[in-house]
Amino acid sequence: MVDTTPLTRAVDHFADRLRAAPQSRLQRGAAAEALQLAREMARRAQAVEEPGVEPREMPDAGMFAAADQITVAVHDLALVLSDEGQVEEAVRLVEEAQKRAGV
């Protein structure tokens, strides 16, 4: 079993920063960046769980749900990752999204 602790820590940190961010920051793109990350992580998890099936897109639940959406999507992905390289790539994606979000 692969250790996904670095990934879950990274997304929990990002989610905490989103929850603490002012509404103006969320409106300026932080929430949109988080939703894009959540959709990508959900797509990756679905590709592993249901290969060959068209992935469902995570809906936009609003800017105040963005932190919860990335948390759910990344924790779901963490359950299906099979090697350290996948974990490292996912951590990199989370950190890059957080940087672009500016939180």
Side-chain angles (χ1 to χ4, degrees):
M1 180 157 236
V2 65
D3 180 15
T4 59
T5 304
L7 176 57
T8 56
R9 281 188 184 149
V11 76
D12 290 347
H13 180 259
F14 186 12
D16 287 345
R17 300 294 301 157
L18 286 169
R19 288 182 187 105
Q23 182 175 346
S24 60
R25 172 81 40 126
L26 296 174
Q27 289 172 323
R28 284 194 309 263
E33 187 64 47
L35 177 60
Q36 182 178 344
L37 174 68
R39 286 178 170 166
E40 174 60 21
M41 296 301 189
R43 184 195 64 73
R44 289 172 182 241
Q46 290 176 55
V48 172
E49 293 175 321
E50 302 174 310
V53 175
E54 183 70 27
R56 298 164 305 281
E57 184 172 283
M58 182 174 281
D60 183 346
M63 70 178 145
F64 297 114
D68 294 331
Q69 287 184 291
I70 62 169
T71 300
V72 169
V74 172
H75 282 258
D76 284 351
L77 178 63
L79 292 173
V80 299
L81 294 179
S82 60
D83 67 56
E84 293 296 325
Q86 293 172 327
V87 173
E88 290 170 7
E89 180 182 4
V91 168
R92 181 183 54 78
L93 292 174
V94 170
E95 290 173 347
E96 289 173 356
Q98 182 175 353
K99 186 179 282 188
R100 287 190 302 271
V103 295

